[in-house]
Amino acid sequence: MLLDPLRIPEDAWSHGEVVAALAARDIGGLFRWITGLTGASQSRIGAAVGLEQGYVSRIMAGRKVTSIDVLERIADGCRMPDQARTTMGLAPRQTAPPAFPDRRTHEPFHGTWQEDVRSAAELWRGDVNRRDVLRQVAFSSAGYTLPALRWFTAPDPAPVTQPGRSAVGQPEIDTIRAMTSTYRQLDNQYGGGHARDTVARYLHQEVTPLLTDGRYDHATGQRLLSAAAELAQLAGWQAYDTAEHGIAQRYLTLALDFAHAAGDDGLGAEILAAMSHQATYLGHTATGLDLARAAGRTARRAGIPVLAAEAHVMEAHALAKANNERACAAALHQAEQALDRADRSADPQWLSYFDEAYLSAKFGHCFHALGRNTHAERFAARSLRMDNRYVRGRAFNLALLASVHAQQGEPDRACAIGAEALTLTTQLRSARAVRYLRDLQTHLAPHRRLPAVRHFTGRIDATLGPRR
């Protein structure tokens, strides 16, 4: 259900001016009519139809909308009746699937893996071509509900086999994984913006032909989809790090579908955890909590304790943001227990980042969100005993520790540590690193008359630009 629906009476869709706008696909005229009828702002219209406010503004100023995907999104967000949809040239609404479909039924609640491949190829092509309509799609917490439900309820996937023109084997799969490892290192060292476009091009130019034109048996096809899912998950993480949240959501959703088709529960748990991370970061704590618990259930099914620890940490962070201290403490305790049980020798390569330092950082974030700054300081300091290759992570952890000191009434220490975070952030292309420094500025605001604080916040503005 939409969080902020546009309350348009159904009989209003039969007004002459509305019918004319629909027939001409004059979406700008439609939005102006909605504003006049309901008083809805551009931001509210955008929230309802899943588009950025700036894109709604350009549509209302005369920009044409030609993408069927976006027209469908607008029709759904406006709750158009079937007659209005058909006037605009769209198909009538399909009957919604049951909330909890039975795996034993033969109705295709989940699309085929071939459909997932076509959707992914379209996304990657549109991203490479920098399609404005794709980049203006906003994040929606409801957009994660169906993929997560699908993960548990979809029928077992059909065999992943294809009689294509070019043989695909282990060497091609190993190449994708090697490239993913390289891109992951660059992401950790320089931030998501450094290689995001390069990853999208690699998916479009190299991975798409293997998936669509390759010849492979089921076992090879599953490994190919798993490798593609891992790289798509990284692309989604990069988009999240650069604040392209709608695109990140599309990438992560398709990566989860690929992991399902590949039968890869471990990677599925990791992707669900990434979804939870994004949702909680954006303030959608209820969705973040649900996704974290879905990740935990999947991790247990996969039999990978360290993934269970990660899921408990994501659950704890969502609970901390919701100010549920008791439940947060229980989840953190479960995370410690799960990590203590973990045999790290069998971990997949993409899970190597999750270590004691990472766990300490998440503990620090949880205690900081709860206002338990003594505990937050201890764990934030411990998080800095980390692998120096994770430059972005160190910038995050330094900014966290500095913010804790600021809230403890220690602005001089906060500025000194914050200066280290700022130095690292200048090496990064990461919107999240910038946000953590901006949050630090906010925490320092009560001390803004102190010379050290004036000097440091001035450095932030000089480096990152003034706050808007």
Side-chain angles (χ1 to χ4, degrees):
M1 180 176 292
L2 292 170
L3 299 178
D4 189 17
L6 297 170
R7 305 188 184 283
I8 303 171
E10 187 160 344
D11 60 0
W13 294 102
S14 60
H15 290 184
E17 62 181 306
V18 179
V19 173
L22 293 173
R25 289 186 174 175
D26 177 9
I27 304 304
L30 175 65
F31 284 170
R32 289 190 294 274
W33 169 77
I34 290 173
T35 297
L37 177 70
T38 67
S41 65
Q42 293 176 358
S43 296
R44 186 178 169 199
I45 292 173
V49 302
L51 298 174
E52 296 285 358
Q53 178 272 327
Y55 191 47
V56 172
S57 176
R58 290 194 289 278
I59 291 172
M60 293 178 75
R63 186 179 188 116
K64 297 295 184 184
V65 177
T66 58
S67 166
I68 295 298
D69 179 63
V70 175
L71 291 170
E72 288 278 5
R73 181 185 292 265
I74 291 168
D76 290 342
C78 293
R79 310 273 180 93
M80 285 187 192
D82 287 345
Q83 182 177 356
R85 293 175 62 94
T86 53
T87 300
M88 200 161 58
L90 302 177
R93 288 173 295 186
Q94 296 182 353
T95 302
F100 294 97
D102 191 330
R103 275 184 178 272
R104 293 168 297 179
T105 67
H106 297 290
E107 296 183 6
F109 171 62
H110 178 71
T112 67
W113 67 266
Q114 292 95 334
E115 290 170 341
D116 294 337
V117 166
R118 285 193 289 271
S119 295
E122 181 180 350
L123 170 64
W124 301 340
R125 181 175 62 251
D127 196 11
V128 168
N129 294 332
R130 305 187 70 83
R131 287 177 56 200
D132 188 50
V133 66
L134 174 66
R135 290 172 181 264
Q136 297 298 335
V137 171
F139 175 88
S140 164
S141 61
Y144 275 154
T145 302
L146 183 58
L149 178 64
R150 213 161 49 207
W151 173 258
F152 289 110
T153 60
D156 292 333
V160 184
T161 180
Q162 183 168 268
R165 292 175 295 183
S166 303
V168 177
Q170 196 59 43
E172 288 76 19
I173 296 168
D174 289 342
T175 298
I176 296 173
R177 294 198 183 281
M179 293 299 292
T180 302
S181 178
T182 298
Y183 291 137
R184 198 180 300 281
Q185 291 172 19
L186 293 172
D187 176 65
N188 287 321
Q189 188 170 359
Y190 299 109
H194 177 74
R196 198 185 93 62
D197 290 343
T198 305
V199 172
R201 281 196 299 274
Y202 185 82
L203 284 165
H204 171 55
Q205 295 173 357
E206 304 295 336
V207 178
T208 294
L210 296 176
L211 291 168
T212 57
D213 299 328
R215 182 173 69 254
Y216 38 83
D217 59 20
H218 177 58
T220 303
Q222 283 192 309
R223 291 195 299 272
L224 175 61
L225 278 183
S226 180
E230 184 184 339
L231 184 53
Q233 188 263 345
L234 174 60
W237 190 258
Q238 290 174 316
Y240 164 30
D241 194 44
T242 54
E244 297 174 284
H245 293 293
I247 295 179
Q249 185 170 38
R250 291 280 301 276
Y251 269 102
L252 292 175
T253 298
L254 282 165
L256 187 66
D257 288 340
F258 275 17
H260 175 268
D264 193 335
D265 280 345
L267 186 56
E270 176 73 1
I271 296 167
L272 286 164
M275 291 174 164
S276 171
H277 198 298
Q278 184 191 22
T280 298
Y281 176 84
L282 293 174
H284 302 278
T285 54
T287 300
L289 182 60
D290 287 343
L291 290 165
R293 288 171 174 166
R297 178 178 167 187
T298 305
R300 290 188 292 275
R301 189 168 73 188
I304 304 178
V306 70
L307 274 174
E310 180 187 22
H312 285 308
V313 163
M314 298 304 166
E315 180 181 355
H317 199 187
L319 290 164
K321 289 287 191 178
N323 204 33
N324 189 336
E325 185 169 353
R326 177 175 294 183
C328 173
L332 290 175
H333 179 63
Q334 289 175 303
E336 283 188 304
Q337 288 184 317
L339 192 60
D340 287 343
R341 292 193 303 267
D343 174 11
R344 305 305 303 270
S345 63
D347 281 356
Q349 187 275 334
W350 43 259
L351 198 50
S352 60
Y353 72 91
F354 193 90
D355 56 15
E356 292 288 348
Y358 185 92
L359 188 67
S360 295
K362 298 303 289 185
F363 271 56
H365 280 290
C366 289
F367 287 122
H368 183 48
L370 291 167
R372 298 290 187 174
N373 286 315
T374 301
H375 294 313
E377 179 188 358
R378 183 170 73 253
F379 283 104
R382 190 182 299 174
S383 74
L384 294 172
R385 304 170 194 166
M386 60 185 297
D387 189 328
N388 288 328
R389 291 175 298 178
Y390 296 98
V391 177
R392 180 181 55 201
R394 178 169 289 276
F396 292 170
N397 297 349
L398 286 165
L400 170 63
L401 182 57
S403 291
V404 172
H405 283 304
Q407 291 199 308
Q408 287 179 318
E410 301 170 326
D412 289 337
R413 294 187 68 186
C415 291
I417 295 168
E420 295 182 60
L422 178 60
T423 298
L424 293 181
T425 299
T426 60
Q427 306 170 26
L428 299 168
R429 295 178 63 184
S430 167
R432 286 190 296 152
V434 170
R435 173 174 160 176
Y436 287 135
L437 283 171
R438 295 304 193 188
D439 288 345
L440 175 57
Q441 274 187 301
T442 300
H443 296 315
L444 285 168
H447 311 283
R448 56 183 170 271
R449 294 184 179 180
L450 295 176
V453 174
R454 281 204 311 271
H455 174 71
F456 174 59
T457 55
R459 279 190 59 199
I460 293 178
D461 287 337
T463 305
L464 305 179
R467 300 189 78 161
R468 291 179 292 176

